[in-house]
Amino acid sequence: MAGTTASIREWSVQNEASRAAVQLRDSVQWMRGDMAAVMRLFAEQHNASVHWADRHPEHPHADVLTMLTEWIQHYYGFVPKPPQRADTGLSSAPQLVQQIMHTRADSFAALPIHVLPPRVFETILMLAGTDTYRREPLPLSTAWEPTGLLVLPTAILRRNESRLDQMLAQVLGRSPEPDTLSAVSWLREPAREGGDQIRVGDWIVPEVGYQGSGIDDNVGQALAAFDNNSELPPWLWTNEQIHHVQSAAHPSNDARRRIHSAANDLKTGTVVPWTRGSVYDDAEGLLALRLTHVAWDAVQAGILCRVPLEGNEPAFLVQPS
């Protein structure tokens, strides 16, 4: 199945669930370390700078700690503690970013794991690329539970050039290489303006010489002070998007209608082109959201069901009903 990944292993639901639990545990543990904060720093500084310029056009520049503090409160929903002055360890800006990583690590530590068989996964992937699921807005009213992790049986080679990637591509004169989407997390929470929102997160497989984010040179310089034996985690949480939940009077009927419409899209060819061996063009950066939405709809519509896995709690197999 060399289309979604460079290679595929023999798939077993129990092995997959056990492996995913270990990978999640190790990845969350890594998020609590200094290296995670340093690797995340450049992207969060960029996000904070853009946010500050949008919110304060009359004063588009400020010191990095002021911008980061406002950005964290606005996007991540908590007020960070002031950084501590220290002669060793992390400097002030990485200390703020580390609070993001620790907050998310706490949220991810006990995520219910959902594993997808390969055939189910490929069907979901194709439906996610249809016009039906590429329309905005998506109601997201069929999420199974407040939190979860959808584990793909094989990573999707995905090209997703963010605004930061595009900017750096112009500066560096190169395009980011595809990353490997391996899992998708979601966290449902109350929205500041009322109602609920869902934070959908991308988890990729980090690789030596990784260029998917376009910031490998900056990260490489920042990591130079770390021990050469430091290891990257099995999965790397790289992106988080917030999507508001729109209420639905008849979520099951709506889910069946979307699934039926998406199936018709496949027949007419109104779908993101993708074949085994190719890179998925995630131009809008919404593939992770759409994968989870199709899976949620399919369960809500009764096409798929969640089966608890014994000895792997909390973990579920998502399979045909």
Side-chain angles (χ1 to χ4, degrees):
M1 187 174 167
T4 51
T5 188
S7 62
I8 188 169
R9 57 183 179 270
E10 184 177 351
W11 196 86
S12 160
V13 59
Q14 290 295 341
N15 290 345
E16 187 75 3
S18 298
R19 182 185 295 109
V22 172
Q23 290 176 316
L24 178 61
R25 181 201 65 199
D26 292 349
S27 298
V28 167
Q29 182 178 351
W30 180 88
M31 290 177 68
R32 301 186 190 278
D34 289 354
M35 180 185 285
V38 172
M39 289 186 67
R40 188 82 182 183
L41 174 61
F42 187 74
E44 294 298 350
Q45 280 187 276
H46 171 76
N47 293 336
S49 177
V50 172
H51 170 74
W52 181 271
D54 289 342
R55 293 285 296 270
H56 307 278
E58 69 284 2
H59 302 291
H61 303 291
D63 70 272
V64 65
L65 297 184
T66 299
M67 292 190 296
L68 274 173
T69 298
E70 181 176 295
W71 166 249
I72 292 171
Q73 184 173 357
H74 167 78
Y75 195 81
Y76 292 102
F78 70 92
V79 179
K81 299 177 182 178
Q84 301 297 311
R85 185 177 182 87
D87 296 330
T88 60
L90 295 177
S91 58
S92 296
Q95 285 184 45
L96 291 177
V97 174
Q98 188 169 60
Q99 294 181 53
I100 299 174
M101 305 305 286
H102 285 184
T103 299
R104 281 295 167 267
D106 292 341
S107 300
F108 295 148
L111 287 178
I113 292 171
H114 298 80
V115 296
L116 293 172
R119 289 185 179 274
V120 172
F121 158 68
E122 288 206 354
T123 300
I124 289 175
L125 177 60
M126 295 302 294
L127 292 174
T130 60
D131 276 2
T132 296
Y133 283 97
R134 284 157 50 204
R135 295 176 190 141
E136 292 290 347
L138 297 175
L140 300 180
S141 57
T142 56
W144 302 323
E145 50 193 79
T147 63
L149 183 76
L150 191 67
V151 180
L152 311 184
T154 181
I156 304 172
L157 290 173
R158 174 194 63 167
R159 180 175 291 107
N160 172 21
E161 297 187 14
S162 66
R163 178 165 57 173
L164 173 60
D165 290 330
Q166 295 169 4
M167 177 191 74
L168 290 173
Q170 294 178 351
V171 174
L172 302 176
R174 71 183 184 206
S175 297
E177 296 188 10
D179 58 29
T180 49
L181 181 66
S182 294
V184 182
S185 60
W186 69 90
L187 304 170
R188 185 165 180 164
E189 62 186 13
R192 186 183 295 112
E193 58 273 29
D196 284 355
Q197 63 187 20
I198 293 182
R199 295 178 180 268
V200 178
D202 295 13
W203 296 73
I204 68 169
V205 176
E207 299 175 357
V208 176
Y210 166 66
Q211 297 178 349
S213 67
I215 64 172
D216 52 304
D217 291 339
N218 304 75
V219 170
Q221 294 174 17
L223 295 179
F226 284 91
D227 190 296
N228 290 333
N229 294 323
S230 298
E231 294 183 356
L232 292 175
W235 293 332
L236 194 64
W237 173 67
T238 61
N239 187 36
E240 180 175 282
Q241 296 184 2
I242 299 174
H243 304 275
H244 291 276
V245 178
Q246 298 184 23
S247 60
H250 305 286
S252 295
N253 291 340
D254 292 344
R256 281 190 287 270
R257 184 178 65 251
R258 283 191 293 269
I259 291 288
H260 179 74
S261 174
N264 286 333
D265 289 342
L266 291 178
K267 296 177 183 178
T268 59
T270 51
V271 60
V272 173
W274 174 83
T275 57
R276 294 183 181 183
S278 66
V279 176
Y280 196 100
D281 185 13
D282 186 21
E284 298 167 295
L286 294 174
L287 176 60
L289 169 68
R290 289 164 180 158
L291 285 172
T292 50
H293 194 208
V294 173
W296 295 339
D297 273 1
V299 170
Q300 184 73 39
I303 299 170
L304 298 177
C305 63
R306 298 190 307 148
V307 180
L309 297 175
E310 295 183 4
N312 292 280
E313 296 181 359
F316 302 85
L317 170 66
V318 182
Q319 65 177 17
S321 300

